C-alpha cells in the first residue's frame, strides 16, 4: 500500500528502516572394507608415524569415510590397533611411543575396515637434545608468555620483554639467559630458575599458574636448562612444513573432531606438535575449537580450523551440510551456462542447499544494469527489454552494457577505490591525470597483469604519466610494499613490519626484503605548496640505496614475497623483477585476488571475505570456485571484462533472491542472490535518474584548504564519474562511500544507520530534487489527464518494472483528482513513496 501524504513521515521511517534490516582431501592411510565395497572406508592420519628420541610421541586420528568424503572421527572404543613389531613401539589409546630403533607397521581396524601406516623409530641411542627455537619457544608461545597481553607487549611485562610470538629467537634467548643477572635460568639447579619457578607457582607470578612441575612443559624447559640453555644456532634445523590432520572433514552438528598437527624440519625429523599449537576457528557459528585441538560442531555451513606453530600456519576445512532432504534430480536438472554453474551446483549439492530458480526478466534487467554500469535502465530500455520475446535477450543486453561508456566510468570508479585516487593527498592536476590514466586502461580493456605492471614500474612526470601518482600516495618503501600487496595480492603485510605476522606466514625479514624492492624510487621537483603549487613532480629510479631493517641494522636482500632475492649491486630497476613475479600466472595470489574482487562486485560477498584478506587462515567459502575463476582469468589473458561476462552470464548470478525452504540459512554459498543496499554513489545516481534533477558537483574540498572552483565536474556529472573522494557530498558520506585513505575494502561502509533513514525521510537530496521545477514531477504535471500513464511511467522510472494491478489501483487512488497545487504534492508523494521503498534502495 502506498503511504498517503498524511502518513508520509511514519511510513517513510518504517520503509527506510526495513530497507536497512537486511581442499582437496589427502587420502592417507586409507583402506577398503573387508567386503570389497569402495563406498565405506577408514582413513588414518597422519600418513606415517615418525618417532625420534625417547621423548617422542605421535597421536593418531581415525576417520570414517564414504566415497570421496572424510567423515567423523571413529571413537577409540570402536578401534583395534596392532603393531607388527611391539618391541619397537607401544600404543596407549591412540598415541604411539618409541621403544627401540627400527621400522614397523601399525594396523587399525574398525569393524570390517582396516588401514595400515608405517612407523619409524630413531634416535633412541641418543640423549634428548632440547633446542631453543624448536622446543623452548613453542612452549612459551602456546602458554601465551610472549603474547601481546604478556611479555610480548611492546614494553614487556614485569621487567621481562620477549619478541611477539617468538619472532626474534636470538633476543629472546638473551633476555632469558643474560638479563636480570642471569637469574631467569639456573644452570646448576634448573628448578630454581625463574623461568620454571614462577609459572609453576613455586614463586609468585602475576600471570598465574601456567603449568605443574610434573607437566610436559616443565620437563621441556628443565631439560633445556640442564643441557646448558643452548642458544639458537645458524645451523639449527628449520621448520619446513606444517600440516594439520584431517585436512578436510565432512561433519554433522554436535560432532567432536580432534585434530593433529605435525611439523617437518630440514633435518628430516617429523614431530607431533599438537600440544604446542595454537588453534583458531575461522567461523565460530559452525565450529568451536579448544586449546587441545578438538573442535565442537555447533552449526551448519562451512568453516576452517587454523593451526599456528612457530610462525607457520596450516588450515583444515570443516564442512557441515544443512539437514535438508534435497532430491538429487534438483541438481541434475538445474540449468547451467558455464563452469561457474557446474562448480556452484556441486558445492550446493555437497551442502544440501537448493538453488533458487532463475530471477524474472525485470529483476535481471535492473540487477545487471546496476552491476555493470552503476545506473538503472531508462523506462524506454525497460519496456523494450521486457517486451522482447527473443530467448537470447539477456546475453544481448550483457554485451550492450559491456560496450557502453558508463561501464568504463563505473569500473574506473571501482579501481579508483583500490588505487586511492584522493584529492586530499594529490593536487587537482595530479588527481585528474591519475583518474584519466585508470580510465584509459579500463576503456582499452588493458589486461589486469599489464595494468598492475604499469603501476608498479611507473616513472615520469605526475601529470603526464598518471600511474606515477601511486607513489605520491605511498612515499616510503614500506608503505608502497604494503599497498602493492594489499591492492594486487589481497595480502596485508603491515603486522610483519614490527614482528613476524601473527596470522600469516610472512616474517619480519620477508617484509623488509619485499620493501627493499622499492628503496631506490625517488622523486624531485614538487615546487610550491603540496596542494596548491604549480610545480612538477617527477618519479625516477636511482642506482643505489637500501632499506635498513631496524631489527638487524642491515638491509635484507630485495626479494618479492616467495620470490628469488636480487643482488645488492644490480643497478637495474628492481621493480621490473618484482613485477615479473607479481603478475606471473604461477603467482598463487595475483589472479586469485583479482578474481575474488570481481566476484564480490556482483554477489556482494566475496569467496574470501573480506575481499582483500587472502591470508591462509581466512580460506575461501568455495575453494574450487575461486581457483577456477583465477584460472579462467589467466586463460582470458587477465582481461577482466571477459571474466565479468562469464559471471553475469551464469545461472548462478541470475538466480532469484527469494529464499526457498531449503536455502534460507545460506549466507556464503550463493544458492540465491543476496539482496544488498545500493552503494552510496550508485544510490545517489539512481535517485538523480528517478527525479530527473542532476547534482552540481562543482566544488572540491581539501582538508585544511579553501574550496576551489574548478571545471572538473560540470552539471550532470554522476557520482560514479567523480575523480576522487575529496568531493564534498553529505549524501555520499552519510551512505558510506570509500574515503580512499587506506587500501582496504573495509573503508566502504554498508552499515545501516538512523541518520541514513532520516535523510531519506526529510533530507535535502530526495525532497529537494522532487520539489525542483526541472524535476520529473513538473513534466508529469503537464500530462495530468493521463494518470494511468503517469503511474506506469513512475514505476518504470523508479523500480524498472510495470506496476501490478493492485499497485496501479493504489497509486491511482493516491493521485485522485485534486485541484491546482495539490496535484504537485500528490505527484511528489508518489515518487517519494517509490524512491524510499526497500525495492528501490536495495538490489535484489
Amino acid at each position: 500500500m502506498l503511504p498517503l501524504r498524511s502518513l508520509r513521515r511514519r511510513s517513510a521511517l518504517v520503509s527506510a528502516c526495513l530497507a536497512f534490516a537486511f581442499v582437496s582431501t589427502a587420502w592417507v592411510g586409507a583402506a577398503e572394507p573387508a567386503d570389497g565395497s569402495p563406498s565405506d572406508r577408514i582413513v588414518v592420519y597422519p600418513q606415517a608415524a615418525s618417532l625420534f628420541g625417547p621423548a617422542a610421541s605421535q597421536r593418531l586420528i581415525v576417520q570414517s569415510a564414504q566415497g570421496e568424503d572424510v567423515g567423523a572421527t571413529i571413537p577409540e572404543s570402536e578401534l583395534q590397533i596392532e603393531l607388527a613389531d611391539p618391541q619397537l613401539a607401544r600404543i596407549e589409546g591412540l598415541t604411539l611411543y618409541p621403544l627401540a630403533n627400527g621400522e614397523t607397521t601399525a594396523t587399525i581396524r574398525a569393524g570390517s575396515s582396516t588401514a595400515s601406516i608405517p612407523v619409524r623409530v630413531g634416535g633412541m641411542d641418543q640423549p634428548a637434545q632440547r633446542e631453543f627455537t624448536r622446543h623452548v619457544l613453542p612452549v612459551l608461545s602456546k602458554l601465551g608468555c610472549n603474547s601481546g597481553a604478556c611479555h610480548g607487549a611492546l614494553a614487556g611485562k614485569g621487567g621481562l620483554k620477549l619478541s611477539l610470538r617468538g619472532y626474534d629467537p636470538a633476543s629472546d634467548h638473551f633476555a632469558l639467559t643474560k638479563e636480570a643477572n642471569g637469574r631467569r635460568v639456573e644452570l646448576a639447579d634448573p628448578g630454581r630458575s625463574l623461568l620454571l619457578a614462577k609459572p609453576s607457582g613455586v614463586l609468585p607470578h602475576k600471570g598465574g599458574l601456567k603449568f605443574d612441575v610434573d607437566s610436559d612443559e616443565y620437563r621441556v624447559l628443565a631439560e633445556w636448562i640442564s643441557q646448558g640453555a643452548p642458544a639458537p644456532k645458524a645451523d639449527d634445523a628449520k621448520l619446513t612444513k606444517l600440516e594439520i590432520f584431517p585436512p578436510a572433514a565432512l561433519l554433522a552438528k554436535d560432532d567432536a573432531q580432534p585434530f593433529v598437527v605435525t611439523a617437518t624440519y630440514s633435518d628430516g625429523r617429523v614431530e607431533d606438535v599438537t600440544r604446542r599449537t595454537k588453534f583458531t576457528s575461522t567461523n565460530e557459528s559452525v565450529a568451536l575449537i579448544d586449546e587441545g585441538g578438538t573442535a565442537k560442531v555447533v552449526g551448519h555451513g562451512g568453516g576452517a580450523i587454523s593451526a599456528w606453530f612457530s610462525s607457520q600456519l596450516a588450515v583444515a576445512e570443516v564442512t557441515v551440510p544443512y539437514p535438508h532432504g534435497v532430491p538429487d534430480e534438483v541438481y541434475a536438472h538445474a540449468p547451467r551456462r558455464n563452469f561457474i554453474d557446474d562448480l556452484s551446483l556441486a558445492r550446493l549439492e555437497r551442502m544440501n542447499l537448493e538453488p533458487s530458480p532463475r530471477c524474472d526478466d525485470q529483476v535481471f534487467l535492473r540487477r545487471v544494469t546496476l552491476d555493470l554500469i552503476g545506473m538503472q535502465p531508462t523506462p524506454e530500455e525497460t519496456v523494450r527489454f521486457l517486451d522482447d520475446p527473443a530467448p537470447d535477450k539477456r546475453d544481448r543486453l550483457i554485451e550492450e552494457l559491456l560496450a557502453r561508456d558508463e561501464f568504463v566510468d563505473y569500473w574506473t570508479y571501482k579501481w579508483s577505490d583500490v588505487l586511492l585516487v584522493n584529492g586530499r593527498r594529490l593536487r587537482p592536476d595530479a588527481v585528474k591525470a591519475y583518474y584519466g590514466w585508470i580510465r584509459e586502461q579500463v576503456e582499452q580493456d588493458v589486461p589486469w597483469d599489464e595494468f598492475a605492471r604499469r603501476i608498479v614500474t611507473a616513472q615520469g612526470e605526475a601529470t603526464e604519466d598518471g600511474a606515477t601518482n601511486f607513489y605520491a600516495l605511498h612515499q616510503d618503501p614500506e608503505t608502497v610494499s604494503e599497498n602493492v600487496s594489499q591492492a594486487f595480492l589481497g595480502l596485508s603485510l603491515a603486522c610483519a613490519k614490527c614482528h613476524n605476522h601473527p596470522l600469516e606466514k610472512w616474517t619480519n625479514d620477508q617484509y623488509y626484503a619485499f620493501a627493499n624492492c622499492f628503496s631506490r624510487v625517488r622523486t624531485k621537483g614538487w615546487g610550491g605548496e603540496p596542494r596548491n603549487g604549480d610545480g612538477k613532480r617527477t618519479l625516477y629510479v636511482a642506482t643505489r640505496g637500501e632499506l635498513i631493517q631496524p631489527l638487524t641494522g642491515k638491509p635484507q636482500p630485495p626479494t618479492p614475497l616467495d620470490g628469488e632475492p636480487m643482488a645488492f649491486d644490480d643497478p637495474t630497476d628492481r621493480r621490473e623483477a618484482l613485477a615479473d613475479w607479481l603478475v606471473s600466472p604461477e603467482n598463487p595470489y595475483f589472479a586469485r585476488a583479482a578474481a575474488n574482487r570481481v566476484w564480490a562486485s556482483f554477489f556482494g560477498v566475496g569467496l574470501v571475505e573480506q575481499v582483500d584478506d587472502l591470508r591462509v587462515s581466512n580460506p575461501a567459502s568455495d575453494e574450487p570456485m575461486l581457483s577456477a575463476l583465477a584460472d579462467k582469468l589467466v586463460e582470458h589473458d587477465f582481461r577482466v571484462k571477459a571474466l565479468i561476462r562469464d559471471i553475469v552470464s551464469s545461472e548462478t548470478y541470475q538466480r532469484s533472491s527469494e529464499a526457498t525452504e531449503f536455502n534460507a540459512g545460506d549466507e556464503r554459498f550463493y544458492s540465491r542472490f543476496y539482496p544488498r543496499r545500493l552503494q552510496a554513489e550508485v544510490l545517489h545516481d539512481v535517485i538523480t535518474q528517478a527525479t530527473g534533477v542532476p547534482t552540481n558537483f562543482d566544488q572540491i574540498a581539501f582538508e585544511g584548504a579553501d574550496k576551489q572552483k574548478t571545471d572538473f565536474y560540470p552539471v550532470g556529472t554522476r557520482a560514479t564519474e567523480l575523480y576522487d573522494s575529496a568531493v564534498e557530498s553529505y549524501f555520499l558520506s552519510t551512505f558510506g562511500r570509500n574515503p580512499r585513505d587506506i587500501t582496504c575494502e573495509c573503508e566502504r561502509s554498508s552499515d545501516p544507520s538512523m541518520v541514513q533513514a532520516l535523510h531519506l525521510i526529510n533530507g535535502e537530496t530526495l525532497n529537494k530534487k522532487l520539489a525542483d521545477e526541472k524535476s520529473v514531477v513538473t513534466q508529469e504535471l503537464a500530462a495530468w489527464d493521463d494518470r494511468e500513464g503517469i503511474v506506469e511511467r513512475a514505476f518504470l522510472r523508479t523500480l524498472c518494472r510495470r506496476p501490478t494491478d493492485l499497485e496501479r489501483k493504489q497509486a491511482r487512488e493516491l493521485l485522485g483528482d485534486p485541484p491546482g497545487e495539490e496535484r504537485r504534492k500528490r505527484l511528489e508523494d508518489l515518487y517519494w513513496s517509490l524512491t524510499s521503498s526497500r525495492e528501490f534502495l536495495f538490489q535484489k
Side-chain angles (χ1 to χ4, degrees):
M1 185 89 180
L2 293 171
L4 298 177
R5 191 169 189 83
S6 61
L7 299 177
R8 174 168 173 167
R9 290 175 183 268
R10 180 181 301 173
S11 299
L13 182 61
V14 172
S15 174
C17 291
L18 280 175
F20 295 129
F22 267 96
V23 170
S24 64
T25 302
W27 292 105
V28 294
E32 301 293 338
D35 62 4
S37 172
S39 61
D40 297 303
R41 67 179 84 187
I42 61 173
V43 184
V44 181
Y45 296 105
Q47 61 182 349
S50 179
L51 305 170
F52 189 90
S57 65
Q58 178 63 65
R59 183 184 177 194
L60 304 180
I61 293 179
V62 184
Q63 305 286 130
S64 62
Q66 185 172 21
E68 296 184 353
D69 289 322
V70 172
T73 301
I74 300 176
E76 180 184 338
S77 60
E78 299 178 15
L79 298 173
Q80 293 180 328
I81 306 178
E82 295 180 0
L83 290 165
D85 187 348
Q87 302 300 314
L88 300 183
R90 61 186 174 88
I91 182 85
E92 291 184 10
L94 290 175
T95 303
L96 291 167
Y97 297 93
L99 294 176
N101 292 338
E103 296 184 3
T104 185
T105 300
T107 300
I108 299 92
R109 293 183 176 84
S112 60
S113 298
T114 63
S116 298
I117 64 168
V119 178
R120 184 180 63 178
V121 181
M124 295 301 290
D125 52 351
Q126 302 175 23
Q129 292 295 323
R130 296 300 184 181
E131 298 175 16
F132 186 74
T133 303
R134 193 195 308 229
H135 300 121
V136 175
L137 283 182
V139 169
L140 301 180
S141 296
K142 177 66 174 184
L143 295 173
C145 302
N146 54 17
S147 68
C150 198
H151 299 292
L154 184 62
K157 185 160 290 189
L160 172 61
K161 182 185 184 310
L162 299 174
S163 64
L164 186 65
R165 293 197 174 189
Y167 82 91
D168 186 2
S171 69
D172 289 344
H173 183 270
F174 180 85
L176 292 173
T177 62
K178 304 298 182 183
E179 286 183 351
N181 297 320
R183 292 185 302 115
R184 294 185 178 121
V185 295
E186 183 61 55
L187 302 183
D189 187 357
R192 295 175 56 196
S193 303
L194 296 182
L195 182 61
L196 290 171
K198 282 196 169 187
S200 65
V202 174
L203 293 176
H205 182 224
K206 288 185 178 181
L209 182 67
K210 291 296 184 180
F211 49 71
D212 296 321
V213 293
D214 58 352
S215 66
D216 182 68
E217 289 78 9
Y218 189 100
R219 179 173 58 84
V220 169
L221 297 179
E223 289 177 357
W224 170 70
I225 296 172
S226 68
Q227 292 167 6
K233 301 187 296 293
D235 60 351
D236 282 346
K238 302 295 189 296
L239 176 60
T240 59
K241 182 169 64 174
L242 191 71
E243 294 179 279
I244 183 172
F245 302 106
L250 191 67
L251 304 174
K253 188 177 179 182
D254 298 326
D255 278 352
Q257 174 62 59
F259 289 90
V260 165
V261 181
T262 63
T264 302
Y265 290 88
S266 56
D267 60 3
R269 286 166 57 178
V270 179
E271 297 185 7
D272 183 342
V273 295
T274 308
R275 189 183 182 96
R276 309 284 180 247
T277 299
K278 297 181 78 70
F279 294 94
T280 307
S281 173
T282 65
N283 187 350
E284 293 191 342
S285 66
V286 173
L288 303 173
I289 186 87
D290 64 22
E291 290 188 359
T294 297
K296 174 70 173 179
V297 178
V298 296
H300 302 98
I305 301 299
S306 65
W308 183 93
F309 176 82
S310 292
S311 295
Q312 287 205 24
L313 281 165
V315 176
E317 179 186 3
V318 175
T319 302
V320 188
Y322 290 82
H324 302 148
V326 183
D328 293 343
E329 54 266 25
V330 168
Y331 308 105
H333 298 154
R336 303 167 189 252
R337 293 292 305 279
N338 56 30
F339 72 99
I340 292 174
D341 301 320
D342 293 336
L343 291 168
S344 174
L345 289 168
R347 173 61 64 167
L348 295 182
E349 185 171 13
R350 182 175 176 80
M351 298 302 303
N352 288 339
L353 289 168
E354 178 185 31
S356 288
R358 197 185 225 212
C359 66
D360 59 34
D361 283 344
Q362 61 194 27
V363 169
F364 173 77
L365 172 64
R366 185 172 191 257
R367 178 190 299 175
V368 75
T369 306
L370 287 168
D371 276 344
L372 289 181
I373 66 174
M375 299 173 63
Q376 293 200 140
T378 65
E380 295 75 20
E381 290 169 340
T382 300
V383 170
R384 183 169 63 251
F385 181 80
L386 295 181
D387 292 347
D388 185 350
D392 66 339
K393 66 180 181 180
R394 294 194 180 193
D395 289 338
R396 286 190 287 107
L397 172 65
I398 290 169
E399 295 305 320
E400 291 168 5
L401 294 172
L402 289 172
R404 287 177 59 165
D405 285 343
E406 292 88 348
F407 172 84
V408 177
D409 295 332
Y410 187 45
W411 282 82
T412 299
Y413 195 92
K414 283 181 172 291
W415 295 129
S416 295
D417 277 356
V418 177
L419 299 174
L420 304 185
V421 183
N422 187 336
R424 290 182 298 276
R425 299 167 62 187
L426 295 172
R427 300 180 195 167
D429 288 344
V431 168
K432 196 170 186 177
Y434 195 15
Y435 174 88
W437 181 87
I438 296 172
R439 192 182 193 285
E440 182 181 5
Q441 311 311 300
V442 177
E443 186 175 31
Q444 295 177 1
D445 195 20
V446 171
W448 184 241
D449 59 339
E450 183 61 27
F451 191 121
R453 178 184 291 278
R454 292 177 183 180
I455 285 182
V456 170
T457 62
Q459 293 190 61
E461 199 273 313
T463 59
E464 295 177 0
D465 186 344
T468 63
N469 289 289
F470 180 82
Y471 288 89
L473 295 165
H474 319 300
Q475 296 184 24
D476 58 77
E478 296 96 327
T479 307
V480 173
S481 65
E482 289 175 17
N483 284 277
V484 165
S485 174
Q486 192 86 55
F488 299 116
L489 303 175
L491 300 174
S492 175
L493 298 181
C495 288
K497 184 176 183 179
C498 301
H499 47 73
N500 292 350
H501 202 301
L503 300 175
E504 257 288 12
K505 67 177 184 178
W506 311 118
T507 66
N508 184 247
D509 287 347
Q510 285 179 296
Y511 176 95
Y512 280 96
F514 186 53
N516 204 20
C517 295
F518 301 98
S519 62
R520 296 179 178 178
V521 177
R522 303 284 190 272
T523 59
K524 62 182 179 181
W526 269 109
E529 294 297 321
R531 294 189 177 105
N532 303 319
D534 296 325
K536 301 292 186 180
R537 177 184 179 278
T538 301
L539 186 79
Y540 69 99
V541 178
T543 58
R544 294 183 179 181
E546 307 294 346
L547 175 66
I548 302 300
Q549 181 180 3
L551 182 65
T552 63
K554 300 178 181 179
Q556 285 289 327
T559 311
L561 297 174
D562 285 344
E564 295 297 323
M566 296 171 251
F568 284 120
D569 58 357
D570 186 345
T572 60
D573 187 353
R574 296 169 173 176
R575 300 177 305 162
E576 294 289 348
L578 171 66
D580 290 341
W581 168 85
L582 179 72
V583 305
S584 169
E586 284 72 43
N587 187 322
Y589 311 106
F590 182 73
R592 288 167 60 86
N596 191 53
R597 282 189 189 276
V598 173
W599 178 273
S601 294
F602 292 96
F603 290 93
V605 179
L607 290 159
V608 174
E609 190 66 21
Q610 297 286 329
V611 299
D612 44 17
D613 188 18
L614 270 66
R615 52 190 160 85
V616 173
S617 55
N618 185 33
S621 61
D622 189 344
E623 176 56 39
M625 179 71 79
L626 181 55
S627 296
L629 289 168
D631 291 344
K632 183 61 70 169
L633 183 59
V634 173
E635 183 182 320
H636 287 317
D637 295 325
F638 286 101
R639 295 191 182 275
V640 172
K641 185 182 286 190
L643 184 64
I644 290 174
R645 181 182 291 108
D646 290 335
I647 291 173
V648 297
S649 299
S650 71
E651 292 291 337
T652 303
Y653 173 77
Q654 297 183 30
R655 287 178 187 143
S656 169
S657 61
E658 297 295 327
T660 72
E661 178 185 0
F662 298 134
N663 69 17
D666 172 31
E667 296 179 349
R668 288 301 306 277
F669 301 104
Y670 313 100
S671 59
R672 66 183 191 281
F673 189 85
Y674 305 132
R676 62 183 187 271
R677 199 207 73 201
L678 303 185
Q679 73 176 51
E681 299 86 347
V682 174
L683 181 56
H684 172 278
D685 289 348
V686 297
I687 288 175
T688 295
Q689 277 186 273
T691 61
V693 180
T695 299
N696 185 4
F697 292 112
D698 66 346
Q699 297 289 333
I700 297 181
F702 295 105
E703 292 180 357
D706 294 332
K707 294 179 181 179
Q708 299 180 7
K709 185 77 172 182
T710 73
D711 59 355
F712 278 19
Y713 309 115
V715 176
T717 299
R718 301 187 307 278
T720 52
E721 291 180 294
L722 298 175
Y723 295 167
D724 73 279
S725 58
V727 178
E728 279 191 333
S729 171
Y730 179 79
F731 182 92
L732 297 181
S733 298
T734 298
F735 282 86
R737 72 169 166 186
N738 191 330
R740 299 177 183 170
D741 291 325
I742 60 175
T743 307
C744 181
E745 196 64 27
C746 59
E747 286 282 90
R748 179 175 294 281
S749 172
S750 58
D751 293 338
S753 71
M754 187 56 66
V755 174
Q756 295 169 358
L758 293 174
H759 185 72
L760 289 174
I761 297 167
N762 295 318
E764 286 192 353
T765 303
L766 179 55
N767 290 300
K768 189 174 182 179
K769 288 181 182 293
L770 288 173
D772 194 289
E773 285 300 317
K774 297 179 181 178
S775 75
V776 65
V777 173
T778 303
Q779 300 171 29
E780 293 292 6
L781 276 174
W784 184 257
D785 291 340
D786 180 23
R787 261 120 45 223
E788 293 294 331
I790 288 175
V791 170
E792 176 150 326
R793 288 190 294 274
F795 274 80
L796 289 170
R797 183 181 284 268
T798 57
L799 305 184
C800 306
R801 63 174 177 83
R802 294 185 175 98
T804 64
D805 291 341
L806 177 59
E807 289 169 333
R808 195 183 299 274
K809 178 177 179 294
Q810 292 173 336
R812 186 65 183 82
E813 290 174 355
L814 172 63
L815 291 177
D817 192 15
E821 288 297 319
E822 185 64 22
R823 294 179 178 179
R824 182 176 187 95
K825 294 178 181 178
R826 297 200 180 190
L827 271 173
E828 289 181 15
D829 258 7
L830 174 62
Y831 273 88
W832 174 88
S833 300
L834 294 170
T835 51
S836 63
S837 68
R838 178 169 54 185
E839 184 175 351
F840 181 83
L841 299 172
F842 275 68
Q843 185 176 357
K844 67 174 186 175

